Amino acid sequence: MRQQHEIFSGAPLLDENGNLREPGWARKLLPQYHRADIKAGAMRIKEWDYYLITDGHIGLALTIADNGYMGLDSISFLDFDERWQITKSPMRIMPMGKTKLPESSAEGATEISRGGYAMAFYHEDDARKLSFHMDKFRGKEAIEGFVCLTDAPAQSMVIATPFDKPGHFYYNQKINCMRAEGWVKLGETRIELTPDRFFAVLDWGRGVWTYENTWYWSSASGELDGVPFGWNLGYGFGNTEAATENVLFYDGRIHKLGEAAFNIPMKDGKEDFMAPWTFTSDDNRFYMEFTPVLDRSAYTSLGIIKSDQHQVFGRFTGRITLDDGTVLPVKDFFGFAEKVVNKW
């Protein structure tokens, strides 16, 4: 297994040419992102904040994204017991940075307000607070709610990945295992979110991407025998020679993994996303069998923009190995795995 470069000190993310100074991974948001340092045009800059909150029975996903020539604001509500979901994703034309997403995940506010919907993600009292409202979410029914995220672990997954094209890069942080408290109201139904059951992940991304990419991502957050536990697996785009984003989260600490593989079953020459998958790592520290319960699939084709997404939720059973060699069994642990093909 190859060595992976860990970043230990803070410095500007980009050099004077708009390239990554130090490709690699970190346990904190050490590289400093400054949009003004990017040399690519505003059409190519992609910035987003994505939150997923779930207890394995229901899920809530919130996104605010400014992807240069296309803005995307999305709310998803998912019922994993009844196996249905609703996603509404209004697009904005040519935001070109006007959304003003923060340059750090640790401060500032991410906000959007348009006809029929509004969302705000902000920091207050050592917590992350999320508010949202959208008219006509389910037929004539609106969705709204408020969620407070606490107990963010001291370590998170941070990755700085270059593409094999000058001025192109992917800078990303995943904060897993945050506890969630609040409420969601869908029509006349109000659901209380309690921190003993609901956990959240933040996917915070900034970068300049090449036009066509395929990525794989799996994430899970919860408790394993009473200890906060989860993982982040991802690959498929950019040059990952310096580091992968594959990690375990256990009791607030990161345990670094090598290369991961998503083994998606095939049927009649196509991927069968709702059949059982397996997951492996080249260091033999991650093995999971995955039983899907819901595929949040979406297909968009609008001129130069094309997206084919399968975000599959379900339960994982297998084993993981911590840095000290401790092997822990995992049974029916809720999470998701996705494959996304984008031209944007």
Side-chain angles (χ1 to χ4, degrees):
M1 192 183 76
R2 62 180 171 82
Q3 289 291 108
Q4 300 186 55
H5 178 68
E6 183 173 357
I7 300 169
F8 290 103
S9 59
L13 177 72
L14 302 177
D15 64 18
E16 62 276 9
N17 297 315
N19 296 314
L20 290 177
R21 288 180 183 271
E22 189 178 3
W25 72 282
R27 301 171 195 266
K28 296 181 179 180
L29 203 68
L30 293 173
Q32 299 148 14
Y33 172 80
H34 301 295
R35 184 183 171 98
D37 293 343
I38 295 175
K39 302 306 179 186
M43 293 268 285
R44 301 301 307 153
I45 301 173
K46 303 186 188 307
E47 302 178 322
W48 71 86
D49 291 12
Y50 166 88
Y51 288 92
L52 173 70
I53 302 101
T54 182
D55 69 341
H57 298 283
I58 66 161
L60 172 72
L62 306 171
T63 305
I64 299 177
D66 186 321
N67 294 321
Y69 51 78
M70 178 268 290
L72 183 74
D73 310 312
S74 183
I75 298 177
S76 294
F77 183 86
L78 309 101
D79 188 314
F80 303 116
D81 293 337
E82 298 183 3
R83 303 196 178 194
W84 59 267
Q85 66 90 25
I86 299 171
T87 298
K88 300 289 186 183
S89 303
M91 287 188 179
R92 292 174 279 122
I93 304 300
M94 297 290 182
M96 307 281 280
K98 297 186 187 72
T99 317
K100 297 188 181 304
L101 273 69
E103 294 186 335
S104 169
S105 70
E107 57 188 20
T110 299
E111 301 173 298
I112 192 70
S113 180
R114 305 271 289 179
Y117 71 92
M119 287 186 282
F121 313 151
Y122 57 97
H123 298 263
E124 187 177 80
D125 301 327
D126 293 325
R128 295 172 184 270
K129 298 189 176 180
L130 320 175
S131 66
F132 59 96
H133 175 97
M134 183 176 284
D135 296 332
K136 298 179 180 178
F137 182 76
R138 182 171 65 179
K140 295 182 179 180
E141 294 181 330
I143 189 171
E144 62 182 349
F146 176 81
V147 185
C148 178
L149 305 182
T150 59
D151 293 5
Q155 298 185 358
S156 59
M157 192 293 300
V158 176
I159 191 86
T161 302
F163 289 86
D164 293 326
K165 186 175 181 180
H168 289 63
F169 67 94
Y170 171 50
Y171 186 43
N172 181 231
Q173 181 183 34
K174 304 283 188 6
I175 304 177
N176 285 56
C177 301
M178 292 181 285
R179 294 187 182 272
E181 182 174 14
W183 56 272
V184 179
K185 188 177 181 185
L186 178 56
E188 295 303 312
T189 302
R190 180 180 167 113
I191 301 164
E192 300 295 328
L193 313 183
T194 58
D196 59 321
R197 291 173 41 220
F198 283 84
F199 289 85
V201 60
L202 166 63
D203 172 13
W204 184 89
R206 305 291 187 265
V208 179
W209 288 30
T210 51
Y211 171 61
E212 183 175 356
N213 289 281
T214 298
W215 77 74
Y216 299 81
W217 179 32
S218 177
S219 180
S221 293
E223 286 185 336
L224 186 63
D225 296 328
V227 178
F229 167 71
W231 64 77
N232 185 83
L233 306 177
Y235 65 97
F237 58 94
N239 184 334
T240 58
E241 185 177 332
T244 74
E245 62 177 88
N246 302 322
V247 299
L248 302 170
F249 301 95
Y250 188 78
D251 201 16
R253 288 190 57 245
I254 277 181
H255 299 254
K256 192 72 181 70
L257 301 174
E259 303 278 355
F262 292 34
N263 305 304
I264 305 173
M266 304 292 290
K267 183 178 181 180
D268 299 328
K270 295 183 179 180
E271 287 152 325
D272 186 1
F273 289 101
M274 289 301 291
W277 308 17
T278 60
F279 293 76
T280 56
S281 65
D282 66 346
D283 51 16
N284 199 34
R285 292 178 54 192
F286 190 93
Y287 176 81
M288 292 289 163
E289 297 175 354
F290 175 51
T291 303
V293 299
L294 181 65
D295 179 5
R296 191 192 68 80
S297 61
Y299 181 83
T300 303
S301 183
L302 298 169
I304 63 171
I305 299 174
K306 182 178 179 180
S307 180
D308 188 3
Q309 305 182 21
H310 289 270
Q311 184 181 28
V312 184
F313 294 85
R315 299 194 175 276
F316 293 80
T317 295
R319 56 167 172 76
I320 56 98
T321 304
L322 302 179
D323 284 346
D324 65 2
T326 301
V327 178
L328 298 175
V330 177
K331 184 174 176 58
D332 294 333
F333 198 80
F334 191 82
F336 72 85
E338 71 178 30
K339 179 184 179 182
V340 177
V341 181
N342 272 342
K343 296 180 180 179
W344 59 338

